[in-house]
Amino acid sequence: METGTEALVAHLKDVLLELSTNPYPEVACPPNLPRRASVAVILRIQPHFDHWPAVQTKHFHAHRPHHRRRSSLASNPEHKLSFKDILDAFFEQDWVKHGDPEMLFIKRATRVGDKWNGHVALPGGKRDPEDEDDQVTAVREAMEEVGIDLSYSHAISIGNLPQRIVTTSWGKVPLMVLCPYVYLLTSSDYPPQRLQPTEVASTHWVSLRALLSPALRTYEYADVSNRLAKSELGIKRWFLQAMLSKMMFAAICLTPSESTYCSSISGFVPEGPPANGFGMGKLKEILKGPEASYPSRQQPLLLWGLTLGVVSDFLEHIPPHNALELWTYPTFTNWDVRFTMWAMSYRFRKQKAIEMSSTEQRGTIGIVEEGIDAAEAPKQDLPDPQATEAEEPGEVGIAGLGVGRNWGKTGRAKLVARGAAVNSMLEGYYPIVRKAVATALVGRIAVVSLLVVYVWNRYTRRP
């Protein structure tokens, strides 16, 4: 019986093989900034009801991917399975072929001084001096934060996604290099979890089908006045906050298939309604009903910012390759600022659309310039790990969204080609945002000034 996810599972296998075969290059730390961090993109296959695995086949061992191969391996102990052999053996299983691929997200716990409180993220953290490399950091952080073992006996290590420099103040101040690594769990059961109360409030498994669904695309609204005030605009935060309202960022509303909550954190059990008195609480209850006295409902889980950028880098490899088509440029809620940004970035966005369209059809910008036929060009052209050309890393600007940097024609074209495409689309966008904000504010001041002059003249000329 078909489950409707067979094509997605087959595509996922191809993507994982491609990521392992064509690793992305390592990004060096900026000068005088040795800080690095890693995150784990953890995948699993949720079995379908009609294809539930037998008890004895629930656990898949990467070093022994198929029972029929044990005798040949035993007779030749020096024989080692290739990554493709391991991946083929895993995806040959019936419950995997008809299963539903999922990705793990965490909701950050509330901590004093943490500006990412309550945000959706991936398991991960900063690299320790004792960590041998960035991948070791991802494995260690996954165990410490959520208690998931990513060793070879529980997971298949796939490879990395594009690394990027995380910055603040609209890309002006580098913070660290972020290194994402992909892992595929090999058990059909949900892995046991142990959530760290100081870091993680909850974990959520979300189907790739949901992440790819246009119906679940939405927006997150963030106050960015503090970051704008630190830029070259030279305007106070309170003024920007009053004038600009909030900024709109592309987001995905997550619909988990399985969630785990850390019950020991503060606020896990909401406090009860206040005692009825004759104050504002009682008046609110009279006007809005008894439910007004109860705690507000839980906000939806929204994937946006830096984590959305990382996830988009992965989703863009999966057909129909529409992760970027569903993504939208950040803008503001106020209509005049939004219109100014739309007008000033119109040519920029059109050029990026042409560039991305050419890349999708031809594989790379260089192929387009050389006039190679689209049928002969590769659909995905990943960076060559043996390439000697120096490539500058993509940055991450406000809210963690990539802004790209001078990749150079060859290196940048390779990453645009189904790679770190979000970085490419935002390269050069934030300078336009700053100019548009300044223009909109000048326009508002001019309009207010004209109104004041008009009213003044109108009333001072009265007899």
Side-chain angles (χ1 to χ4, degrees):
M1 178 179 179
E2 297 296 318
T3 62
T5 59
E6 290 81 6
L8 178 58
V9 172
H11 287 311
L12 176 63
K13 176 186 174 183
D14 294 338
V15 170
L16 299 183
L17 181 61
E18 180 184 57
L19 289 176
S20 177
T21 306
N22 300 281
Y24 284 94
E26 180 175 322
V27 170
C29 292
N32 303 320
L33 184 68
R35 296 167 62 185
R36 302 178 73 86
S38 300
V39 293
V41 180
I42 304 176
L43 304 171
R44 71 174 297 272
I45 305 296
Q46 165 74 286
H48 189 272
F49 179 82
D50 293 325
H51 296 270
W52 207 260
V55 176
Q56 63 269 24
T57 61
K58 278 190 176 183
H59 295 281
F60 172 90
H61 297 286
H63 57 289
R64 289 183 176 178
H66 203 286
H67 294 292
R68 290 179 296 177
R69 298 183 182 179
R70 289 185 180 180
S71 57
S72 60
L73 290 177
S75 61
N76 185 9
E78 295 183 357
H79 176 74
K80 294 182 179 180
L81 294 174
S82 68
F83 178 83
K84 186 178 184 303
D85 291 334
I86 295 173
L87 211 61
D88 286 342
F90 177 77
F91 280 92
E92 282 176 5
Q93 300 175 99
D94 182 72
W95 68 268
V96 175
K97 291 180 181 179
H98 302 280
D100 192 16
E102 298 177 339
M103 184 181 296
L104 179 69
F105 296 94
I106 68 172
K107 182 179 179 181
R108 296 179 63 87
T110 300
R111 294 190 300 174
V112 177
D114 187 358
K115 61 182 179 181
W116 305 114
N117 283 336
H119 283 218
V120 171
L122 297 168
K126 297 178 183 178
R127 177 172 172 175
D128 288 344
E130 296 80 13
D131 293 338
E132 182 179 351
D133 53 33
D134 296 318
Q135 191 167 5
V136 169
T137 302
V139 174
R140 175 181 56 77
E141 287 288 338
M143 174 59 72
E144 291 178 358
E145 289 191 343
V146 296
I148 293 182
D149 187 355
L150 296 179
S151 64
Y152 72 93
S153 58
H154 296 87
I156 302 175
S157 175
I158 304 300
N160 65 339
L161 292 173
Q163 299 180 358
R164 62 190 76 197
I165 296 179
V166 179
T167 66
T168 186
S169 299
W170 295 70
K172 294 179 177 296
V173 181
L175 296 177
M176 66 182 67
V177 178
L178 182 67
C179 311
Y181 290 90
V182 182
Y183 292 88
L184 175 64
L185 299 182
T186 54
S187 173
S188 58
D189 293 330
Y190 282 110
Q193 298 183 45
R194 185 183 67 255
L195 308 189
Q196 189 177 46
T198 58
E199 300 284 347
V200 181
S202 58
T203 61
H204 307 273
W205 289 98
V206 180
S207 170
L208 295 188
R209 293 182 296 113
L211 296 176
L212 292 167
S213 172
L216 295 176
R217 296 290 165 140
T218 182
Y219 296 96
E220 172 67 319
Y221 301 89
D223 178 12
V224 299
S225 56
N226 187 41
R227 301 180 188 182
L228 267 175
K230 292 180 180 179
S231 69
E232 67 270 14
L233 293 177
I235 303 174
K236 295 296 183 181
R237 178 184 179 183
W238 61 266
F239 180 77
L240 286 173
Q241 197 169 17
M243 296 290 286
L244 296 178
S245 187
K246 293 186 177 182
M247 200 168 184
M248 299 169 55
F249 293 92
I252 299 177
C253 185
L254 300 183
T255 54
S257 61
E258 177 82 3
S259 298
T260 303
Y261 295 88
C262 185
S263 59
S264 60
I265 64 172
S266 175
F268 173 73
V269 178
E271 296 181 1
N276 292 330
F278 296 97
M280 292 299 298
K282 186 64 175 179
L283 179 61
K284 188 176 181 180
E285 180 179 339
I286 294 174
L287 295 176
K288 295 186 176 182
E291 65 276 6
S293 300
Y294 288 85
S296 58
R297 295 181 179 179
Q298 186 177 8
Q299 297 297 316
L301 293 168
L302 294 182
L303 172 64
W304 67 291
L306 175 58
T307 307
L308 177 58
V310 173
V311 174
S312 295
D313 286 342
F314 177 79
L315 296 179
E316 188 59 17
H317 288 79
I318 302 176
H321 305 297
N322 66 342
L324 295 180
E325 284 77 358
L326 297 175
W327 179 84
T328 57
Y329 283 95
T331 186
F332 284 88
T333 52
N334 287 350
W335 69 271
D336 56 336
V337 183
R338 188 188 308 180
F339 176 79
T340 304
M341 287 183 57
W342 176 86
M344 295 184 67
S345 65
Y346 180 78
R347 291 183 60 185
F348 170 87
R349 291 181 286 106
K350 291 290 289 184
Q351 180 61 35
K352 287 295 182 181
I354 295 173
E355 181 180 303
M356 294 304 300
S357 176
S358 299
T359 302
E360 291 173 5
Q361 296 173 8
R362 309 278 182 162
T364 66
I365 298 174
I367 291 176
V368 176
E369 293 175 347
E370 294 170 7
I372 297 178
D373 186 81
E376 301 176 359
K379 296 300 180 183
Q380 300 186 24
D381 186 12
L382 301 176
D384 182 4
Q386 305 300 325
T388 58
E389 177 186 0
E391 299 177 350
E392 295 189 26
E395 289 187 357
V396 174
I398 190 167
L401 287 175
V403 298
R405 201 159 76 175
N406 181 23
W407 287 90
K409 278 190 176 181
T410 304
R412 180 173 171 278
K414 289 179 180 179
L415 285 163
V416 168
R418 302 266 81 93
V422 173
N423 280 1
S424 174
M425 292 181 70
L426 280 169
E427 181 184 358
Y429 180 71
Y430 286 129
I432 298 177
V433 171
R434 292 194 291 268
K435 293 177 182 178
V437 168
T439 302
L441 293 179
V442 170
R444 286 189 182 184
I445 294 173
V447 170
V448 171
S449 300
L450 290 175
L451 288 175
V452 170
V453 171
Y454 172 78
V455 173
W456 175 265
N457 291 335
R458 182 180 179 90
Y459 282 92
T460 55
R461 290 179 182 177
R462 285 187 175 184

